[in-house]
Amino acid sequence: MSMHHSLLAFLVAGASSMALAKLPAPTPEVQAKAAETAAKAAWNGKVDSYKLCQSQDKVAAHYRRTAKDAKPAVATSGCTDPGPFAYTPPAAKPLEASGAHSPPGTASSPPSTLMPAASAPKP
């Protein structure tokens, strides 16, 4: 019975370590595709809202035509058409402009060491 408990504990520990494993960072292509998918989903939401607004206006107009005690229409902002889907990916910054390899400013003074380079200890 003890063997079964230790085997079960070992399996649970192994499964939990696999669950905590970190995924590799996404590639730039994957990130660009995800950004495009998010933009497409946002545009689809705008199209859905536009279609809903149009159908609500159509129902309200029909109600006002057929109902005897219908109140007059209230001025609203109306439905705005989102237009066709257009996605322009952001321009990639070149490595030199990203500031990843060097500080932005130039050196205004020498390195802060009092020991000359010739007498510095060798690594």
Side-chain angles (χ1 to χ4, degrees):
M1 191 69 157
S2 168
M3 179 72 157
H4 293 287
H5 288 296
S6 60
L7 181 61
L8 180 64
F10 179 72
L11 289 175
V12 168
S16 65
S17 66
M18 286 191 306
L20 295 176
K22 202 172 190 183
L23 294 175
T27 63
E29 294 84 20
V30 172
Q31 289 176 341
K33 186 67 175 171
E36 183 178 359
T37 303
K40 178 86 172 180
W43 178 78
N44 282 334
K46 290 177 184 177
V47 169
D48 291 342
S49 296
Y50 174 67
K51 289 179 179 179
L52 175 64
C53 180
Q54 284 182 325
S55 65
Q56 288 173 339
D57 287 349
K58 185 177 177 182
V59 169
H62 179 266
Y63 173 74
R64 286 190 189 93
R65 279 194 315 267
T66 58
K68 294 179 182 177
D69 60 346
K71 296 180 181 178
V74 177
T76 60
S77 62
C79 305
T80 56
D81 186 6
F85 177 70
Y87 176 71
T88 55
K93 290 170 61 175
L95 184 59
E96 293 81 22
S98 67
H101 63 284
S102 61
T106 57
S108 60
S109 63
S112 58
T113 178
L114 300 174
M115 187 181 307
S119 63
K122 305 287 185 215

